[in-house]
Amino acid sequence: MRNWSGKGMLGVILVFVSTVSGCQRGVFSFGDSLTDTGNLYFISPRQSPDCLLPPYGRTHFHHPSGRCSDGRLIVDFLAHSLGLPYLKPYLAFKNAALPLPDLHHGLNFAVAGATALDTAFFQERGFTVDVTTNFSLRVQLDWFKEFLPSLCNSSSSCKKVIGSSLFIVGEIGGNDYGYPLSGTTAFEDLVTYIPQVISVITSAIRELIHLGAVTLMVPGSLPLGCNPAYLTTFATMDENQYDQAGCLKWLNTFYEYHNQLLQIELNRLRVLYPLTNIIYADYFNCALQFYYAPEQFGFGGNVLKVCCGGGGPYNYNETAKCGDAGVVACDDPSKYVSWDGYHLTEAAYRWMTKGLLDGPYTIPKFNISCFTGETIGDFNSYAME
Ligand SMILES: *[C@@H]1O[C@H](CO)[C@@H](O)[C@H](O)[C@H]1NC(C)=O
Ligand SMILES: *[C@@H]1O[C@H](CO)[C@@H](O)[C@H](O)[C@H]1NC(C)=O
Ligand SMILES: *[C@@H]1O[C@H](CO)[C@@H](O)[C@H](O)[C@H]1NC(C)=O
Ligand SMILES: *[C@@H]1O[C@H](CO)[C@@H](O)[C@H](O)[C@H]1NC(C)=O
């Protein structure tokens, strides 16, 4: 199954001769609903919450766009900052449903609901697996390899185009932990999943490097202990379980542990592949600012509340989710971090992108000279678009 594992040494040699550098001319991304820009349209049955129903897309596209937000995602803002068009979903290309003029600009392989580990992993452990999530990182990588001949035909042309693209691997893993979290898994057992998830992510990175990738951005997990859906599910009277912002400490500790292990593995990869640029995107601390200093971002008062939700202390209701009949969105999503309980608002994603590009939240820092210098817009007026 892990058929690339024997290629380690060969990969190192290939990478040493790959000296492509300079600015990114395309973006290829893998992941889940934090990154999916429309692959969701092409899979069935529909998911819950159903990101293909209004009011998804309300703020920016003014209709559901296949993104699980009211507007654009981090990957959209990054592509824009690189002077590239928004990333098209691979399945639109595969199904010939959309004209795709220039594949060199990149393509998005992320699918909402996707896990890092294969679906079989969860089935073997007795979890009820949502069939719509059968688009693991392995499956997405296989798509990329199937797609490659449409991008380039010779080993030198592939090296060139792959080497000058940015590969975004993740965020992925959030849904993997969702399965054990939905059951009665003890914290000690939950932790045992982390190395397995990380191992799949690092294998994917190695495989992409063997294919010629030079610049890779690998996001860690968000602080999902501040996620209104989880805050609702794991609500407790024990105040000691909450931090000063009202987030669940044990959950954030868990995701921080995932991020620590991920960074340890990224450091190993940097040693193995010294000519690559492996950038860790610290989604956790970047988003944590929202909860600790909400006023700075215009989120005061609503920071743990859902914009599009069906009631309850966090305005998240398991039986009345965003997109369901009768569930209305807040008037101004730019005042909220959480769009639907699981996914962030365009405003939060925009602030996060700013944190990644300008702030200290990428390790090492992005080479800004490669960016177009275009700002990602006026932070206060976009809600009027
Ligand atoms: C940043 O990218 C520019 C353009 O490719 C290059 O000239 C410069 O050396 C890079 N800087 C760093 C620190 O890598
Ligand atoms: C998931 O996909 C794999 C290969 O793409 C397939 O073999 C498997 O049957 C699928 N599993 C489910 C539950 O649909
Ligand atoms: C590669 O070759 C195939 C088959 O000849 C062709 O269909 C495809 O368009 C070519 N791809 C590129 C990027 O030239
Ligand atoms: C959640 O939604 C259900 C179904 O619409 C509704 O009956 C219930 O009152 C809601 N719960 C809260 C706390 O608003």
Side-chain angles (χ1 to χ4, degrees):
M1 187 168 128
R2 300 284 178 257
N3 57 357
W4 64 88
S5 58
K7 293 188 199 156
M9 281 318 292
L10 179 61
V12 173
I13 294 159
L14 287 178
V15 165
F16 277 126
V17 297
S18 160
T19 53
V20 192
S21 63
C23 301
Q24 283 76 56
R25 306 197 192 291
V27 178
F28 294 95
S29 51
F30 304 86
D32 59 23
S33 55
L34 298 191
T35 311
D36 188 353
T37 55
N39 283 311
L40 187 56
Y41 266 120
F42 302 93
I43 60 173
S44 58
R46 307 278 281 260
Q47 298 181 356
S48 170
D50 189 341
C51 306
L52 297 179
L53 293 174
Y56 283 87
R58 186 184 100 167
T59 300
H60 185 74
F61 300 96
H62 309 298
H63 57 81
S65 71
R67 290 166 177 79
C68 289
S69 182
D70 58 316
R72 291 161 291 179
L73 311 178
I74 292 172
V75 70
D76 293 312
F77 291 119
L78 282 177
H80 183 75
S81 299
L82 286 163
L84 300 170
Y86 296 141
L87 287 196
K88 302 270 195 317
Y90 166 72
L91 292 178
F93 163 80
K94 194 180 180 185
N95 295 304
L98 280 179
L100 292 166
D102 194 351
L103 297 171
H104 292 81
H105 286 152
L107 214 47
N108 192 350
F109 297 86
V111 188
T115 49
L117 292 156
D118 289 322
T119 308
F121 177 92
F122 301 100
Q123 284 169 330
E124 283 158 16
R125 281 157 187 80
F127 294 110
T128 310
V129 168
D130 182 350
V131 290
T132 62
T133 67
N134 193 22
F135 300 100
S136 65
L137 195 51
R138 170 80 261 150
V139 172
Q140 294 178 27
L141 262 180
D142 287 344
W143 285 346
F144 178 69
K145 287 192 285 185
E146 272 169 40
F147 151 78
L148 263 185
S150 309
L151 186 69
C152 54
N153 268 340
S154 69
S155 128
S156 66
S157 69
C158 287
K159 273 263 133 65
K160 199 165 166 224
V161 63
I162 296 175
S164 61
S165 295
L166 170 65
F167 286 80
I168 304 179
V169 187
E171 172 279 330
I172 187 113
N175 293 315
D176 296 69
Y177 305 128
Y179 285 116
L181 277 170
S182 67
T184 52
T185 312
F187 187 76
E188 301 73 51
D189 296 331
L190 190 58
V191 170
T192 64
Y193 287 84
I194 296 178
Q196 314 196 54
V197 169
I198 303 291
S199 151
V200 175
I201 298 172
T202 53
S203 295
I205 294 168
R206 292 172 72 123
E207 189 163 7
L208 287 168
I209 291 173
H210 293 173
L211 289 167
V214 174
T215 310
L216 302 102
M217 186 181 105
V218 187
S221 175
L222 285 166
L224 295 181
C226 309
N227 185 321
Y230 284 155
L231 284 167
T232 305
T233 305
F234 299 109
T236 167
M237 300 300 279
D238 178 5
E239 286 183 13
N240 291 327
Q241 292 199 25
Y242 296 96
D243 69 9
Q244 76 217 59
C247 304
L248 279 166
K249 286 193 277 194
W250 68 272
L251 264 177
N252 274 350
T253 300
F254 172 77
Y255 293 107
E256 270 186 294
Y257 188 42
H258 165 96
N259 290 340
Q260 278 164 13
L261 246 62
L262 178 60
Q263 288 179 82
I264 289 171
E265 290 307 317
L266 296 185
N267 281 334
R268 289 211 177 112
L269 291 170
R270 288 176 185 128
V271 172
L272 269 176
Y273 306 105
L275 295 182
T276 60
N277 184 17
I278 300 174
I279 301 160
Y280 174 67
D282 187 357
Y283 281 15
F284 189 97
N285 287 299
C286 192
L288 208 60
Q289 308 175 89
F290 302 153
Y291 306 102
Y292 281 61
E295 314 75 32
Q296 277 181 32
F297 305 92
F299 297 138
N302 303 309
V303 72
L304 295 177
K305 287 221 172 84
V306 174
C307 168
C308 180
Y314 300 98
N315 195 29
Y316 175 80
N317 186 341
E318 189 61 40
T319 55
K321 290 183 189 161
C322 189
D324 290 351
V327 176
V328 290
C330 62
D331 287 338
D332 187 354
S334 76
K335 294 199 163 76
Y336 288 74
V337 178
S338 182
W339 167 246
D340 62 7
Y342 293 96
H343 309 107
L344 307 191
T345 56
E346 173 177 283
Y349 287 135
R350 182 192 293 254
W351 281 115
M352 282 185 67
T353 312
K354 190 174 160 55
L356 298 176
L357 294 182
D358 303 347
Y361 298 107
T362 53
I363 306 165
K365 265 192 83 61
F366 267 120
N367 185 346
I368 298 295
S369 72
C370 281
F371 288 86
T372 58
E374 264 186 82
T375 68
I376 51 177
D378 180 338
F379 273 73
N380 299 314
S381 67
Y382 80 93
M384 314 305 292
E385 276 170 17

